[in-house]
Amino acid sequence: MSYGTAGTLRSVTLDDVRGAQKMLSGVARVTAMEGSRHLTRLVGAPVHLKCENLQRTGSFKLRGAYVRIAGLLPEERAAGVVAASAGNHAQGVALASALLGVPATVFMPHGAPLPKVSATREYGAEVRLHGQVVDETLAAAQEYAARTGAVFIHPFDHPDVIAGQGTVGLEILEQCPEVRTIVVGVGGGGLAAGIAVAVKALRPDVRIVGVQAEGAAAYPPSLSAGRPVSVRNPVTMADGIRVGRPGVVPFGIVEDLVDEVRTVSEDQLSAALLLCLERAKLVVEPAGASPVAALLSAPHAFEGPVVAVLSGGNVDPVLMQRVLRHGMAAQGRYLAVRLRLTDRPGALATVLGVLSAADANVLDVSHVRTDPRLGLTEAEVELHLETKGPAHCAEVGEALRNAGYPVIG
């Protein structure tokens, strides 16, 4: 669908996406398609990774933002543009505006990751911090647009944006013409809708699967209701797809053309991000890793060859540290245990000797001596350990119990 001159809706077509591809020539990169031997073995068919995490600004968002801004009338360009985002869309709008010589103001929430705020400023946008959540930031940006005449650039709910994102689909067909399934993360739905428009027009046999985080999955209930419905307080580490309500424009396309929308857990997202880093040597944000999480959760549900779209790589280093630890825990490679010891010299060293013999790497140790539940001569110790997997975790626990240290948590 797209807007007509009277504000009505009409279809986004393959010609729209091809026009966007010409417009983006020399602006957006044709990102790499990398094979994954590990996922290929798991799925039982070839799996390729479409690396939009290596796109300029670190995500696919530049494509849609550039096409939308490039299509503005001269008087609209003169008034400038405004956007609201916690990260990827902000950077896409900032760079697109700079390339087109259009003034840009971007509202970002307080607490937005500093690397994303700094990058948005460096691309040339004026950044204004407002609100604690994106909904508050969005309201501020829309008020600014109404007051100043600046054009509001929506992150997903506009046909020009969808056409720009659809160029990813054209590249997939060019790079992997034998593809049978495309798996893509879904937030508001702009990327999935664009890919679906392009791919289904040329290859209606290709299955398109959308992926949402369980805590921010607005599409399954919306598709059941036949209209966009809201999810209250969406919660997920995957901020790139943490959207509480589908866009009106992409929803109609997803409903018509996307074959299935699946959900993944936070543990699965963490494991996917860790896999991308360790096996593919690719830095991917949680939203970008959601297609890989879907493959890990149900590897035999996808007909190959499969293309998983890694939609972005803008992950805050602090979040990366937390997610990697979470991912290691989800894979059984990180173990936290609490023990009670006799509070005497050498007691901790003895425990550490047991762990060393079990080949567990101690990451952190903390003591508690003042808990009223403890006896006069007792101390409680919490240890964070790096292990080699679930079987090794069981071996470590058994070694501690055999040495007389019952694990209490």
Side-chain angles (χ1 to χ4, degrees):
M1 299 177 179
S2 63
Y3 296 110
T5 55
T8 57
L9 294 174
R10 61 178 178 82
S11 293
V12 174
T13 67
L14 176 61
D15 285 342
D16 295 328
V17 180
R18 282 176 166 160
Q21 188 176 45
K22 290 179 181 178
M23 190 179 294
L24 288 167
S25 177
V27 176
R29 293 173 180 152
V30 176
T31 52
M33 183 86 75
E34 298 287 345
S36 171
R37 285 180 293 180
H38 178 77
L39 289 173
T40 293
R41 286 194 299 270
L42 192 68
V43 173
V47 176
H48 306 279
L49 307 175
K50 176 61 172 167
C51 300
E52 282 296 290
N53 59 311
L54 303 179
Q55 184 58 262
R56 296 177 71 179
T57 75
S59 88
F60 71 96
K61 289 287 190 178
L62 171 65
R63 297 174 184 262
Y66 188 91
V67 173
R68 172 76 173 103
I69 297 169
L72 297 178
L73 298 172
E75 56 269 27
E76 291 175 318
R77 292 194 186 197
V81 299
V82 60
S85 168
N88 289 346
H89 181 58
Q91 294 174 71
V93 169
L95 178 56
S97 299
L99 293 172
L100 292 163
V102 177
T105 302
V106 177
F107 285 78
M108 304 182 76
H110 290 286
L114 290 178
K116 295 185 179 182
V117 175
S118 297
T120 303
R121 286 193 173 117
E122 288 171 8
Y123 288 129
E126 178 188 349
V127 174
R128 300 191 181 191
L129 300 178
H130 183 93
Q132 299 300 319
V133 296
V134 174
D135 285 345
E136 296 173 354
T137 308
L138 181 64
Q142 291 172 325
E143 186 279 329
Y144 177 90
R147 176 167 48 84
T148 65
V151 178
F152 179 68
I153 307 298
H154 200 284
F156 51 82
D157 204 7
H158 193 280
D160 290 346
V161 172
I162 292 170
Q165 320 305 28
T167 59
V168 175
L170 293 181
E171 290 178 16
I172 290 172
L173 294 183
E174 292 164 1
Q175 294 170 312
C176 185
E178 68 278 15
V179 63
R180 297 293 298 170
T181 305
I182 296 173
V183 191
V184 55
V186 178
L191 178 60
I195 289 175
V197 167
V199 172
K200 290 292 189 177
L202 295 168
R203 287 280 308 281
D205 60 301
V206 173
R207 184 172 177 81
I208 299 177
V209 179
V211 184
Q212 292 208 287
E214 287 178 354
Y219 262 92
S222 297
L223 292 169
S224 295
R227 58 181 174 81
V229 298
S230 298
V231 172
R232 297 184 62 183
N233 301 319
V235 177
T236 174
M237 71 177 76
D239 60 338
I241 53 174
R242 190 173 59 220
V243 177
R245 182 184 177 88
V248 173
V249 183
F251 175 79
I253 298 172
V254 170
E255 185 178 39
D256 290 342
L257 299 180
V258 172
D259 296 283
E260 179 187 7
V261 176
R262 290 174 167 260
T263 61
V264 293
S265 69
E266 299 298 284
D267 283 351
Q268 289 161 349
L269 286 168
S270 296
L273 187 147
L274 188 61
L275 184 146
C276 289
L277 187 63
E278 287 191 325
R279 297 299 184 95
K281 315 306 178 191
L282 292 168
V283 176
V284 182
E285 62 190 271
S290 59
V292 175
L295 295 178
L296 293 176
S297 67
H300 301 299
F302 302 90
E303 181 183 0
V306 178
V307 172
V309 181
L310 307 183
S311 57
N314 292 318
V315 57
D316 181 62
V318 176
L319 175 63
M320 172 70 87
Q321 185 179 35
R322 294 204 305 268
V323 169
L324 290 179
R325 181 166 289 189
H326 188 82
M328 291 176 67
Q331 291 188 354
R333 294 168 53 190
Y334 180 83
L335 178 65
V337 295
R338 286 188 297 123
L339 311 171
R340 285 189 182 176
L341 310 175
T342 301
D343 191 11
R344 58 176 176 78
L348 178 59
T350 303
V351 173
L352 296 180
V354 173
L355 294 173
S356 177
D359 205 21
N361 184 33
V362 179
L363 301 175
D364 188 43
V365 180
S366 61
H367 277 86
V368 175
R369 290 187 172 90
T370 57
D371 192 311
R373 295 173 297 177
L374 296 173
L376 183 64
T377 61
E378 288 183 321
E380 189 171 284
V381 177
E382 181 172 351
L383 301 109
H384 293 182
L385 311 172
E386 182 182 2
T387 60
K388 300 174 183 178
H392 190 211
C393 285
E395 292 173 8
V396 171
E398 185 66 20
L400 288 169
R401 286 187 287 272
N402 290 341
Y405 300 105
V407 178
I408 62 175

